[in-house]
């Protein structure tokens, strides 16, 4: 790998994210159209030091605020939603190490992260009863080590990873995470993702056949949910940031298209489409939606930061509800703006060669990650009766 920068703090991290996003935006439509996987771009992301910004200061990291991390994801997603999706699991499993890793595990893996190593994920499974019906097994051997067997789907980041965290059940049926090298014997990553959106995430299949795992590469993930926790809030916040980024990126493209390419409707009597009061009205409405999504994202991130400083059942619940609110709004906004782009830009914007449809496809695909209607239910219960949201990792 090339030399990796270790970033010093929030301001530097945001500056680097902005510079990378500007570069990544240039070829985003071309990558999407040809399903060209962003290997070179991910190497740049690793070398930039952004993947290490949540490593605790005691291990040499910047330990940036959650608000900063959310903004990094929003900036990247506004440029290329597929590329932004790939490191989402990386930060989730850095967070798992922060909460459940031993000091020795933290020292090793945080060192890996600061050297630019990427975590993927092998978490979800297909064909089971529901999303938390995990059937991959982590069986203990007589010498204390383990072997992994199972099949994972939607394994975003695995194809590009140095380490693949695998969610599995041990002999006592509790959930653990095994951190497995990408080139481990018995581990196969299949690039079979063919989603209509987020085409270049390579969110395909991971097959695990008697994969050996040393005992010191396994963490007890089930313990994460036995007390107040922010695991789900942080994971969902990053999804919300991706949706908010898709919305702002789509709006920016719509603005540029109408300013430079759209023709005015003949009945308006105007010289340019940008002067049309009906379009002006619609752009005002869309801008309000995007600003609201971004504001709720910032508020949710600050709630997570506040809970990190004083983690209790109440602060964790408040953070989860704030994130759920941001996620519902950002998801709705991303889909709306991705569709409205064509409404305001006109017929030419639908040309396949322009690639503007990637915003809607990315939004529609990414927002299927988990149903927003259940978040609305938990928000309603919290408001009406003070019922805290459940601790299952998706809130």
């Amino acid at each position: 790998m090339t030399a990796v920068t270790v970033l010093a703090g929030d301001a530097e991290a945001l500056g680097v994210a902005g510079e990378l996003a500007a570069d990544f935006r240039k070829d985003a439509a071309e990558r999407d159209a040809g399903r060209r996987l962003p290997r070179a771009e991910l190497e740049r992301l690793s070398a930039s030091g952004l993947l290490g910004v949540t490593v605790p200061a005691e291990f040499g990291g910047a330990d940036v605020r959650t608000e900063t991390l959310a903004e990094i994801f929003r900036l990247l997603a506004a440029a290329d939603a597929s590329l932004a999706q790939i490191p989402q699991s990386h930060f989730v499993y850095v967070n798992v190490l922060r909460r459940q890793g031993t000091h020795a595990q933290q020292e090793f893996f945080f060192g890996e992260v600061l050297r630019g190593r990427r975590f993927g994920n092998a978490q979800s499974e297909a064909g089971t009863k529901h999303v938390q019906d995990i059937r991959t097994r982590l069986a203990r051997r007589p010498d204390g080590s383990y072997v992994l067997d199972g099949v994972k789907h939607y394994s975003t980041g695995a194809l590009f990873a140095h380490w693949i965290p695998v969610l599995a059940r041990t002999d006592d049926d509790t959930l653990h995470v095994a951190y497995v090298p990408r080139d481990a014997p018995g581990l196969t990553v299949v690039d079979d993702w063919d989603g209509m959106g987020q085409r270049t995430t390579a969110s395909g299949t991971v097959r695990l056949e008697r994969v050996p795992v040393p005992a010191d590469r396994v963490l007890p993930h089930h313990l994460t949910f036995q007390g107040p926790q922010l695991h789900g809030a942080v994971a969902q916040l990053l999804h919300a940031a991706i949706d908010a980024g898709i919305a702002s990126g789509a709006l920016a493209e719509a603005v540029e298209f109408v300013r430079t390419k759209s023709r005015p409707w003949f009945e308006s009597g105007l010289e340019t489409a940008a002067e049309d009061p009906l379009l002006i009205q619609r752009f005002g409405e869309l801008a309000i939606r995007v600003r609201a999504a971004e504001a709720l994202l910032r508020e949710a991130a600050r709630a997570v930061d506040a809970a990190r400083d004083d983690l209790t059942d109440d602060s964790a619940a408040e953070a989860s509800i704030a994130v759920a609110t941001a996620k519902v709004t950002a998801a709705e906004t991303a889909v709306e703006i991705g569709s409205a782009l064509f409404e305001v830009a006109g017929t030419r914007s639908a040309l396949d060669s322009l690639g503007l449809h990637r915003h809607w496809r990315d939004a529609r695909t990414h927002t299927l990650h988990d149903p927003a209607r259940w978040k609305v239910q938990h928000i309603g219960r919290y408001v009406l009766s003070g019922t805290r949201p459940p601790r299952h990792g998706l809130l």
Side-chain angles (χ1 to χ4, degrees):
M1 290 186 66
T2 56
V4 176
T5 301
V6 178
L7 300 176
D10 296 76
E12 186 179 12
L14 288 171
V16 170
E19 292 173 4
L20 284 179
D23 283 347
F24 293 161
R25 180 178 293 108
K26 296 173 186 176
D27 298 324
E30 182 272 328
R31 282 192 297 275
D32 174 83
R35 197 180 177 272
R36 178 171 65 79
L37 300 182
R39 297 181 186 278
E41 289 77 11
L42 285 170
E43 289 300 321
R44 286 190 62 193
L45 187 65
S46 288
S48 75
L50 281 179
L51 296 182
V53 295
T54 60
V55 170
E58 66 179 296
F59 294 95
D63 200 10
V64 300
R65 298 189 307 274
T66 309
E67 183 178 358
T68 297
L69 183 62
E71 179 63 7
I72 289 169
F73 270 79
R74 192 194 69 80
L75 289 168
L76 293 175
D80 184 338
S82 286
L83 210 161
Q85 178 65 36
I86 292 168
Q88 191 268 347
S89 292
H90 171 90
F91 286 98
V92 167
Y93 285 102
V94 169
N95 211 30
V96 170
L97 283 161
R98 289 183 65 133
R99 184 169 176 91
Q100 296 301 339
T102 65
H103 187 273
Q105 288 172 325
Q106 291 172 341
E107 191 169 49
F108 174 77
F109 280 113
F110 290 154
E112 287 285 277
V113 170
L114 291 177
R115 285 188 288 274
R117 302 297 193 266
R118 294 183 293 272
F119 294 162
N121 98 90
Q123 180 170 295
S124 294
E125 299 178 11
T128 57
K129 184 177 181 180
H130 50 69
V131 71
Q132 293 205 332
D133 180 16
I134 302 298
R135 300 183 185 180
T136 297
R137 307 307 297 188
L138 185 64
R140 191 145 196 155
R141 298 196 291 195
D143 64 359
S145 66
Y146 296 86
V147 290
L148 267 170
D149 286 282
V151 179
K152 298 290 189 176
H153 298 270
Y154 312 118
S155 302
T156 304
L159 188 67
F160 314 107
H162 300 92
W163 291 90
I164 302 179
V166 180
L167 193 62
R169 294 192 182 276
T170 51
D171 296 334
D172 63 0
D173 215 37
T174 56
L175 281 176
H176 286 65
V177 176
Y179 288 71
V180 182
R182 167 69 175 79
D183 59 356
L187 187 154
T188 306
V189 180
V190 184
D191 180 19
D192 57 358
W193 170 246
D194 66 348
M196 69 172 181
Q198 296 198 300
R199 288 176 172 173
T200 61
T201 59
S203 301
T205 302
V206 170
R207 299 187 185 281
L208 305 147
E209 298 178 14
R210 302 294 293 172
V211 178
V213 185
D216 62 358
R217 297 293 181 260
V218 176
L219 280 71
H221 192 39
H222 62 103
L223 298 180
T224 298
F225 307 104
Q226 292 187 5
Q229 50 82 33
L230 297 170
H231 173 81
V234 172
Q236 289 292 300
L237 183 74
L238 300 186
H239 284 304
I242 291 168
D243 291 339
I246 293 172
S248 63
L251 181 60
E253 290 236 43
V255 168
E256 177 65 16
F257 196 95
V258 169
R259 282 176 175 170
T260 61
K261 296 182 177 66
S262 293
R263 297 183 298 178
W265 184 242
F266 72 95
E267 289 181 286
S268 71
L270 298 169
E271 291 297 315
T272 67
E275 297 174 280
D276 186 336
L278 299 179
L279 279 180
I280 290 170
Q281 175 73 21
R282 187 63 176 132
F283 270 101
E285 294 167 351
L286 298 176
I288 289 169
R289 293 283 283 151
V290 171
R291 288 171 71 97
E294 293 173 351
L296 286 171
L297 180 70
R298 288 192 296 271
E299 178 184 284
R302 290 168 185 167
V304 173
D305 280 329
R308 280 180 61 183
D309 293 338
D310 181 21
L311 187 58
T312 65
D313 284 332
D314 288 337
S315 67
E318 180 59 34
S320 289
I321 292 299
V323 170
T325 303
K327 179 66 168 62
V328 170
T329 303
E332 292 174 348
T333 303
V335 173
E336 178 184 357
I337 306 296
S339 177
L341 185 159
F342 303 102
E343 169 197 338
V344 296
T347 306
R348 187 182 173 193
S349 64
L351 293 177
D352 188 60
S353 59
L354 296 176
L356 295 176
H357 45 64
R358 77 182 187 280
H359 299 291
W360 183 86
R361 288 187 289 99
D362 286 344
R364 186 62 282 175
T365 301
H366 182 253
T367 55
L368 298 175
H369 181 271
D370 54 280
R373 58 187 176 272
W374 277 95
K375 288 179 169 54
V376 176
Q377 285 284 307
H378 293 305
I379 293 166
R381 292 190 185 101
Y382 185 75
V383 170
L384 281 173
S385 61
T387 302
R388 297 187 186 111
R391 297 170 179 161
H392 53 41
L394 291 171
L395 275 169

